[in-house]
Amino acid sequence: MLPNAEGVFETYQSVHPVSVIMYKHDLVYLTEDASHDAAIEHINEEAFGPGRFTRAAARIREQGPHDLSLSFICADDGETIASVRMTPVLAGTVKGHLLGPLAVRPSHKNMGIGRELVRIAVEAARRKGSEAVILVGDPPYYGPLGFEKVAYNALTFPGPVDPGRVLVVPIAEGAHERLKGVIAWRA
């Protein structure tokens, strides 16, 4: 209902077609560099909150730097809106990489950006000779991206983890069998 010229509300049906607003995204995937640090920190804070520092995977990341050559961001029209990092680890006897954190700004969720970042990072790790890509995450999300469950309690993290959420993309022959023991940062 809208008021007429005299301020009286009258009921009428609109005959105007419904307008659809389309948002154009100019997504670009880039290798992370130091200029992305502040934006990535903001994205991770937004996605995971202050509790992100207490997670077992974060304890591994505290042991040494992530591999910039295997870490990527997604920018939309020049703004960093998502990122994934890869940290070199020794998991049992496997020289692999720990994937994460993976985070996408709420404004860009459900567009496949996270999945694309994972695909890019795993492929880059494969090309660099990584034996496996490991993460702690949701099997329904990561399973279609090639991740498989690691044997129950096979890896010991520097803090509690749900063993059912420890996943791997095995790259090297026999990687699954060698994922037994401690997982820690490696140079």
Side-chain angles (χ1 to χ4, degrees):
M1 295 194 332
L2 295 174
N4 64 14
E6 292 81 38
V8 177
F9 285 90
E10 298 177 324
T11 304
Y12 72 97
Q13 269 191 315
S14 172
V15 293
H16 300 288
V18 175
S19 297
V20 176
I21 298 173
M22 300 288 289
Y23 295 99
K24 182 178 181 270
H25 294 284
D26 185 18
L27 301 178
V28 179
Y29 296 87
L30 304 167
T31 305
E32 179 188 332
D33 65 40
S35 72
H36 301 118
D37 284 346
I40 291 169
E41 180 58 31
H42 176 73
I43 292 166
N44 288 331
E45 180 180 11
E46 192 174 49
F48 304 112
R52 68 191 181 280
F53 298 115
T54 64
R55 297 178 178 188
R59 298 288 166 92
I60 293 169
R61 292 183 200 110
E62 290 171 351
Q63 297 170 6
H66 61 283
D67 185 337
L68 279 174
S69 72
L70 298 181
S71 299
F72 300 90
I73 64 103
C74 178
D76 185 3
D77 197 27
E79 177 191 359
T80 301
I81 52 90
S83 76
V84 65
R85 287 182 165 167
M86 297 276 270
T87 302
V89 293
L90 184 62
T93 61
V94 174
K95 291 180 180 176
H97 287 86
L98 182 66
L99 186 142
L102 167 68
V104 179
R105 300 276 331 262
S107 59
H108 288 74
K109 290 225 183 250
N110 301 313
M111 294 174 57
I113 295 167
R115 284 176 158 73
E116 182 63 9
L117 283 169
V118 170
R119 187 195 67 72
I120 292 167
V122 169
E123 186 53 38
R126 185 183 319 272
R127 285 192 313 271
K128 193 167 181 176
S130 183
E131 294 184 302
V133 175
I134 303 156
L135 63 80
V136 180
D138 296 322
Y141 180 85
Y142 290 101
L145 302 175
F147 285 84
E148 307 165 0
K149 287 187 178 183
V150 171
Y152 197 80
N153 281 334
L155 292 175
T156 304
F157 282 77
V161 297
D162 176 350
R165 292 172 41 89
V166 179
L167 307 174
V168 63
V169 171
I171 298 172
E173 185 81 26
H176 259 297
E177 296 75 27
R178 296 185 296 122
L179 287 172
K180 291 182 177 65
V182 173
I183 180 168
W185 181 83
R186 70 174 167 86

